[in-house]
Every structure is written in structure tokens, then in C-alpha cells.
């Protein structure tokens, strides 16, 4: 085998000698289009809306929200419907101006919290922390070390009683009492550091859970700093398929004594997730997913003894037991204990859909709580016998997430959401009211407060999208097509330019992700994939996005379509869908089809160019992954490489390098530790060995997703590539 360095050298030589079809610097017309595309990709910045969700107070069914129209904070009483500004917008700006020493003309907040004593709202402005009294409307500066200021910190964790604070410090942590005295302090070491997880405090404030991550036995990838002539190499732990996993050690600290108790480890090699505490503080709870994804355990650890018990085990020997969309959204959604701590709700797909099951604290099944041909995404709360869930129970909109009320005794769900689209629900602590922040493809976001008995609903804020409409934004056209199997409906969207002319024929770009733990087709007004595709369309393309078989959010059978054969169903689904869409849209030119994606989408962009080379004429793969990469995103869907090597071989893009026919470009950042640079280097070497010409953009120092200003450079490069290879409307 020849040296890989020789192969990369040949690549550089090949690219340097390749003829350039068009100038690298865009002409004035192209630059104008690129500027327009950039404005479209920044859609959220054109929306006039609060960036801060309303905040419930712990008692009284009251909340505080930011009114963009009034330019101030408003206190809302759920029980009475009364809405009162804490002070006028002019007074808020005047008080802040006096505190910062210069005029404050406009305000836009992102970091906001309710103070631990519930007497004020805390926010950050110009890097400093301020508090606004809920009763007196007075703004005051807050010292950075004050308890209320720490409520804004991502590295400080305040106990529920306010009696202690835990602080993450690099690889270690410190726990201090309210008087500042140190309870316990630990320092970590390289690849063996301490971490404070989410929801670390027991509800009674007596115990704190901390994790020690042992990464010493994990494979390391080199990240090279090229910023000077003297390169620096950092070795980053990265558990690839078939290699040792990290070990997570759970420890529990008793604040009163400073005692640190080691919790017995779970059995086997697992992915471990700390998910919080029982309401009575009796146990610290963890989930343990076997590395092949076929077994999920719930365990509880007694905080004084450290003894761990298995509460529940669910197994699916024929497939994965739980979709990794929970890894993206938080595994804590898998379990919710009832307030009495005697029983809990468990999510399972055992009947073919993700539903809610009631268990007692010993792990005995009591009953199935929800059922039907739809998935439940999350249990949002329990109040008495009522259980509140986010589900996709409308058969006409299988991906829309709507709010429902059910019963712990079972039975049909009652829909509480009045509108379509995607709903983000925040229940009041009492369970009597909730904030419903929702939007659809055609409705900009609304924030409303409603009662869970369905009797009252009050509008809080309305997003202003007039600047976006003025720019020429049009919501995408909805698509429903059949998958390559001819029977499974797929949902997607289609974007056209703002100056679309149906008498012309447009090149088509398939935007793809297709990773098995995330959907990308938007069902809300603004989303990153939607903004990106709308931006690409402004260059003179029709852009199509689908969620193919194997992605989450629907039935278990839909997800299992590519189980054990990732990379074999997704591109056929896209090709079938594009052909069906074009059959009734003569302005889609299927002689000029490109494919683009990033991360998993980069893998599938390569996949499209190599498995459907006659269909896709050009492809741009951004930061492509590979099946040999991160264990947790590959092994649960394919099995271990040593157990199912055929699946990894069949899904390998490297093995298909010789199939390339169209024009291909790849991009990778040298500091990417999500999909490592080696994936692109291996692909490049395989293409060179096969005698296939391609383009390559290496972005020094950039992570998995390039950061400003490199992100604009990357997006422009993608657009110019497709303009050059596919052309424009004809």
C-alpha cells in the first residue's frame, strides 16, 4: 500500500493542474445573488420577536415575559389574566443608562433567569448582570459572585434550597455552602476529569451528583493547530466504532458532611446518562444503553450507601430499543417519576410506536397509558390523574408536535393545542396553566398562555415577520411522495427563488441529512435547514428536502427500514421522491440535479454521487462522516463492526470511489471532532487511487460547523460550486 501522504500530495498536484472553468472571484451579478442568499440564511435576525421564553415563578401561576412592543418586562397572572409591565420601557432604559454610564437606546436579551429568591428577574446587559425587582420595578447592578448572578451561569449549579452552590472548574469542581465555605473540592487530570451533569441536585438539596469521565482508554484523534510555523497537536478522545467506550463514574456528595460516595458501576460496556433524582430524593437515576443499542436499563443509586439497583430493563434483540433522537433532545425524556415517587412513566416503542407506560417503583408494569398509530415525543408533566404529553397524533400532519392531555388510567388523548405546526410547551409548576410557543410553516411564532382545563387562552407575544416578507420570503411548498418501496409516504418541502418563473427550467438541489436520529424537514416558520435551503434557492435553484425512511419521529417500522443497512435506502428514497415531484412540475430540470449535505448529510451527499451517479450530476459534501466514526451514532443502528462487518462494508463510501461520474467537492475543518478529518482524507485517497478528479476545501482551525466569518466563506463556496456545475434557470 502506498503512503497516504503520497496520495494527498498527488491530490494537491492534481487540483493545481486542473483547468478552472470560471474565475474564482464572483462577478457583480453573482456577488449580488450571494449577498441576497446571505440575507435569507439570516432569517431569524429579520424576525422581530423576543429571544427569551417566558419564565414561570415558583408559586401563584405567575410568569414574566419580555414584550418587544412595549420594550420592557411584563408580569402576567394566569388566574386573573392581568398583565402589567414591571416598569415602562423608557424607565427601564433610563435606569440602565444611569447604571452603565451612557445612554441605552435599545435592548435585546438572551441571558435571563428568575432569581433564586423569586423576587426579581436577572439579566445580562453589556456583559454585566442586573436585577429587576418584581414588586418595586427597580433595576440594580448585581455583583458577579452574588447568588442571583450565578443563576445565569452555565457552570454554577445552585441547590434547590439555596444552601450551597456547585461550580464546574475546568476538569474539576468545587462545592461551597451559602457562607462561602468549601464543602468539597476536586481537581481532575487529563482525560480523567470531573463533570457536573444537568439536574445534579437532589430536590431536598442534601445531595449533589457528579460524574467522573474516564477517557484514558478511549481512542484519541489528533487536532493540529496550523496557526504558526510550529504546529501544535492536541489529542482528543473519540470513541470510534468497535473501540473502547468512555467510562462514567457516578459519585454523590452529601453537603452536610462533605462525604463523597462512590456509586457501584453498571454492568457491561454501556453509554451512561445521568437523568436526575426521584422527587423524594431517595435515588439518583441513570440510564444505561448497551453499545449495540439493544438493551436499556434504568437504575437508581441510594445516595448514602452508593448501592445501585436495576429498576427496569427493556430489550429488543432484533433491533435498537430506543431511538437516539433522545440523545439529541435529552435522555431524561425517557423517564418521569410521579410526584409521590411510588411510580414512574416510561417511554417505549414496543407496540410499534413510542408510547407512555406506567410502572411502579419496583419496575412492575402497571399499564400502558397512551396508545394509537402515532408517537408520543415527551411527557411534559403530571397533575393528579392528568398526564400532559407532546405527540404527533394528527394523522394529517404526522410530524407536527401538538399538546395533549391524557389520563394515567389510559384512554384517548384530548388535544389542547389550537394551532398546527410545532408547539413548545412550558407548564406552570401547579400544572394548571402552560405557555404555548408555536409556529407553522405559514404562521410566525406566537406565545400564548392557556389553562390545562381548556377554558382560557391569552396571547402574550406575536412575532413580526414583515421584514422577511418584504425581502421576498415565501414559505416552502409541502411535498408528499412515495419512498422507493412504492408504499411508504415521505414528507418534504420544496423551495423556489423569490423571482421564480414557472416558464423556465431550474436546476434542482437535493438537500439531505438523513441521519437516523434527527429529522430536518421544517414544520415551523423558521428553522436552520429551512433558512439554508431558502438561501440556496435564491441562486436560481429549486431546492428539495425530504426525511427518508430510517429517520425518527414516526413509527418503529419507519425507523427500522434501514436498520443494519444504513446507506442503502436513503438515496433511493430521495431519487424516487425527486422524480415524483418533477412529474407534475415541468420547471424542475432533472438533467441537472445536485446533492448537498453536512455531517451525516455529507456522508449521504457522497453516497448519492457514488450510488446514483447517473442521476446526481454534482455533489458537495460538507464535513462528511463515515460508519467507522463515533460509536454511539453508528453501532446502535448497525451492530458492532465485529458482529456485522457486512453492514459496514455495504455502507462504505470509500469502497465505491470508482463509481464517481459527476463533479464532486468536499469540505472539512481541521479541528473537527464530530466527524474527524480522517474521513475526508480516506475518501480523497480512495478517489485518487480510482483516478477520479474532485475538489477539496480544507478550512484550517474550523470545527464541525465553521464559525464566523468562515461560515459565510463555506456557504458561498457551496453556492458558487453549484452555479458553476449546474448553471442557472433556462
Amino acid at each position: 500500500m502506498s503512503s497516504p501522504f503520497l496520495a494527498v500530495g498527488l491530490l494537491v498536484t492534481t487540483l493545481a493542474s486542473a483547468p478552472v472553468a470560471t474565475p474564482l472571484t464572483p462577478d457583480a451579478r453573482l456577488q449580488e445573488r450571494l449577498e441576497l442568499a446571505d440575507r435569507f440564511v439570516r432569517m431569524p435576525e429579520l424576525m422581530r420577536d423576543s429571544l427569551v421564553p417566558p419564565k414561570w415563578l415558583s408559586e401563584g401561576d405567575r410568569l414574566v415575559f419580555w414584550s418587544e412592543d412595549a420594550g420592557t418586562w411584563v408580569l402576567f397572572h394566569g388566574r386573573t389574566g392581568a398583565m402589567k409591565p414591571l416598569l415602562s420601557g423608557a424607565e427601564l432604559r433610563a435606569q440602565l443608562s444611569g447604571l452603565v454610564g451612557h445612554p441605552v437606546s435599545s435592548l435585546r436579551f438572551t441571558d435571563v433567569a428568575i432569581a433564586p429568591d423569586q423576587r426579581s428577574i436577572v439579566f445580562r446587559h453589556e456583559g454585566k448582570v442586573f436585577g429587576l425587582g418584581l414588586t418595586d420595578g427597580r433595576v440594580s447592578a448585581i455583583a458577579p459572585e452574588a447568588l442571583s448572578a450565578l443563576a445565569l451561569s452555565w457552570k454554577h449549579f445552585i441547590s434547590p434550597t439555596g444552601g450551597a452552590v456547585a461550580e464546574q472548574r475546568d476538569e474539576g469542581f468545587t462545592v461551597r455552602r451559602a457562607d462561602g465555605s468549601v464543602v468539597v473540592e476536586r481537581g481532575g487530570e487529563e482525560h480523567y476529569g470531573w463533570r457536573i451533569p444537568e439536574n445534579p441536585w437532589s430536590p431536598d438539596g442534601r445531595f449533589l451528583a457528579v460524574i467522573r469521565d474516564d477517557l484514558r482508554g478511549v481512542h484519541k484523534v489528533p487536532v493540529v493547530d496550523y496557526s504558526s510555523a510550529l504546529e501544535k497537536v492536541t489529542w482528543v478522545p473519540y470513541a470510534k466504532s468497535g473501540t473502547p467506550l468512555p467510562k462514567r463514574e457516578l459519585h454523590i456528595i452529601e453537603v452536610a458532611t462533605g462525604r463523597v460516595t462512590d456509586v457501584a458501576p453498571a454492568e457491561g460496556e454501556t453509554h451512561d446518562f445521568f437523568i436526575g433524582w426521584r422527587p423524594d430524593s431517595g435515588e439518583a437515576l441513570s440510564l444505561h444503553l448497551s453499545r449495540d443499542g439493544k438493551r436499556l436499563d434504568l437504575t437508581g443509586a441510594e445516595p448514602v450507601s452508593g448501592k445501585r439497583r436495576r429498576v427496569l430493563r427493556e430489550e429488543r434483540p432484533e433491533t435498537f430499543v430506543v431511538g437516539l433522537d433522545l440523545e439529541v433532545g435529552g435522555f431524561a425524556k425517557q423517564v418521569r417519576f410521579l410526584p409521590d415517587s411510588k411510580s414512574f412513566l416510561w417511554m417505549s416503542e414496543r407496540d410499534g410506536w413510542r408510547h407512555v407506560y406506567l410502572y411502579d417503583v419496583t419496575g412492575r408494569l402497571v399499564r400502558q397509558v397512551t396508545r394509537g398509530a402515532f408517537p408520543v415525543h415527551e411527557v411534559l408533566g403530571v397533575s393528579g390523574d392528568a398526564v400532559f404529553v407532546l405527540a404527533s397524533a394528527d394523522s394529517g400532519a404526522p410530524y407536527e408536535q401538538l399538546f395533549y392531555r391524557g389520563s394515567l388510567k389510559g384512554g384517548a388523548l384530548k388535544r389542547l393545542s389550537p394551532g398546527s405546526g410545532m408547539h413548545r410547551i412550558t407548564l406552570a409548576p401547579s400544572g394548571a396553566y402552560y405557555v404555548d410557543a408555536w409556529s407553522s410553516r405559514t404562521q410566525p411564532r406566537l406565545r400564548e398562555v392557556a389553562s390545562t382545563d381548556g377554558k382560557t387562552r391569552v396571547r402574550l407575544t406575536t412575532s413580526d415577520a414583515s421584514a422577511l416578507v418584504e425581502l421576498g420570503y415565501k414559505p416552502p411548498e409541502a411535498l408528499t411522495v412515495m419512498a422507493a418501496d412504492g408504499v411508504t409516504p415521505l414528507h418534504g418541502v420544496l423551495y423556489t427563488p423569490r423571482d421564480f418563473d414557472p416558464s423556465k427550467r431550474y436546476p434542482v438541489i437535493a438537500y439531505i441529512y438523513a441521519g437516523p436520529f434527527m429529522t430536518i424537514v421544517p414544520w415551523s416558520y423558521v428553522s436552520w435547514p429551512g433558512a439554508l435551503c431558502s438561501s440556496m434557492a435564491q441562486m436560481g435553484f429549486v431546492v428539495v428536502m425530504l426525511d427518508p425512511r430510517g429517520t425518527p419521529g414516526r413509527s418503529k417500522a419507519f425507523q427500522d427500514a434501514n436498520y443494519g443497512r444504513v446507506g442503502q435506502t436513503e438515496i433511493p428514497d430521495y431519487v424516487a421522491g425527486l422524480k415524483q415531484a418533477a412529474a407534475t412540475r415541468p420547471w424542475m430540470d432533472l438533467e441537472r440535479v445536485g446533492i448537498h449535505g453536512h455531517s451525516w448529510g455529507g456522508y449521504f451527499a457522497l453516497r448519492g454521487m457514488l450510488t446514483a451517479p447517473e442521476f446526481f450530476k454534482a455533489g458537495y459534501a460538507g464535513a462528511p462522516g463515515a460508519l467507522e466514526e463515533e460509536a454511539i451514532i453508528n453501532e446502535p443502528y448497525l451492530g458492532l463492526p465485529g458482529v456485522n462487518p457486512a453492514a459496514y462494508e455495504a455502507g462504505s463510501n470509500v469502497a465505491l470511489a470508482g463509481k464517481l461520474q459527476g463533479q464532486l467537492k468536499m469540505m472539512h475543518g481541521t479541528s473537527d471532532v464530530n466527524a474527524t478529518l480522517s474521513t475526508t482524507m480516506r475518501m480523497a485517497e480512495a478517489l485518487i487511487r480510482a483516478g477520479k478528479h474532485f475538489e477539496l476545501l480544507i478550512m484550517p482551525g474550523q470545527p464541525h460547523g465553521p464559525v464566523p466569518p468562515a461560515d459565510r466563506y463555506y456557504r458561498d463556496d457551496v453556492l458558487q460550486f453549484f452555479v458553476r456545475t449546474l448553471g442557472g434557470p433556462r
Side-chain angles (χ1 to χ4, degrees), residues 401-465:
Q401 297 187 5
L402 308 174
F403 186 43
Y404 293 87
R405 176 183 183 134
S407 170
L408 291 175
K409 298 176 182 177
L413 296 178
K414 178 183 178 181
R415 178 171 168 174
L416 298 178
S417 302
S420 59
M422 304 297 283
H423 292 251
R424 296 292 175 261
I425 305 297
T426 309
L427 277 166
S430 69
Y433 297 88
Y434 64 96
V435 174
D436 185 357
W438 67 276
S439 72
S440 68
R441 289 175 185 154
T442 57
Q443 171 62 59
R445 181 170 61 190
L446 304 174
R447 287 193 177 103
E448 299 170 325
V449 174
S451 59
T452 52
D453 62 11
K455 294 181 179 180
T456 62
R457 178 170 287 265
V458 178
R459 178 76 50 82
L460 296 181
T461 65
T462 302
S463 181
D464 181 358

Side-chain angles (χ1 to χ4, degrees), residues 397-558:
Y399 286 97
E400 291 187 342
Q401 297 187 5
L402 308 174
F403 186 43
Y404 293 87
R405 176 183 183 134
S407 170
L408 291 175
K409 298 176 182 177
L413 296 178
K414 178 183 178 181
R415 178 171 168 174
L416 298 178
S417 302
S420 59
M422 304 297 283
H423 292 251
R424 296 292 175 261
I425 305 297
T426 309
L427 277 166
S430 69
Y433 297 88
Y434 64 96
V435 174
D436 185 357
W438 67 276
S439 72
S440 68
R441 289 175 185 154
T442 57
Q443 171 62 59
R445 181 170 61 190
L446 304 174
R447 287 193 177 103
E448 299 170 325
V449 174
S451 59
T452 52
D453 62 11
K455 294 181 179 180
T456 62
R457 178 170 287 265
V458 178
R459 178 76 50 82
L460 296 181
T461 65
T462 302
S463 181
D464 181 358
S466 57
L468 202 55
V469 175
E470 184 179 345
L471 182 62
Y473 172 74
K474 299 174 297 183
E477 178 185 349
L479 288 177
T480 302
V481 295
M482 288 296 170
D485 64 1
V487 296
T488 304
L490 302 178
H491 294 266
V493 286
L494 182 151
Y495 293 85
T496 56
R498 67 175 187 175
D499 58 356
F500 174 70
D501 182 350
S503 68
K504 296 182 178 180
R505 287 177 61 77
Y506 289 80
V508 177
I509 296 177
Y511 183 77
I512 190 167
Y513 184 75
F517 53 85
M518 186 184 297
T519 58
I520 60 165
V521 172
W523 294 80
S524 57
Y525 196 77
V526 174
S527 72
W528 169 247
L532 186 62
C533 289
S534 184
S535 166
M536 295 174 69
Q538 306 315 311
M539 300 301 293
F541 304 119
V542 169
V543 184
V544 176
M545 185 170 14
L546 296 172
D547 281 321
R549 290 173 296 160
T551 51
R554 289 174 63 176
S555 68
K556 186 69 170 73
F558 188 87

Side-chain angles (χ1 to χ4, degrees), residues 147 150 155-169 172-187 194-197 200-202 205-211 251-260:
L147 192 65
L150 298 183
K155 64 179 182 179
H156 288 86
F157 302 82
I158 304 171
S159 76
T161 61
V165 177
E167 179 185 3
Q168 183 76 53
R169 305 185 61 161
F173 70 92
T174 301
V175 181
R176 288 186 171 87
R177 299 183 181 89
D179 61 9
S181 61
V182 174
V183 176
V184 64
E185 190 170 29
R186 292 287 188 274
W194 296 88
R195 172 173 54 88
I196 304 174
W201 286 102
S202 61
R206 291 180 57 203
F207 302 102
L208 174 78
V210 293
I211 306 292
H251 305 263
I252 297 177
I253 299 166
E254 186 176 32
V255 175
T257 63
R259 180 176 58 191
V260 181

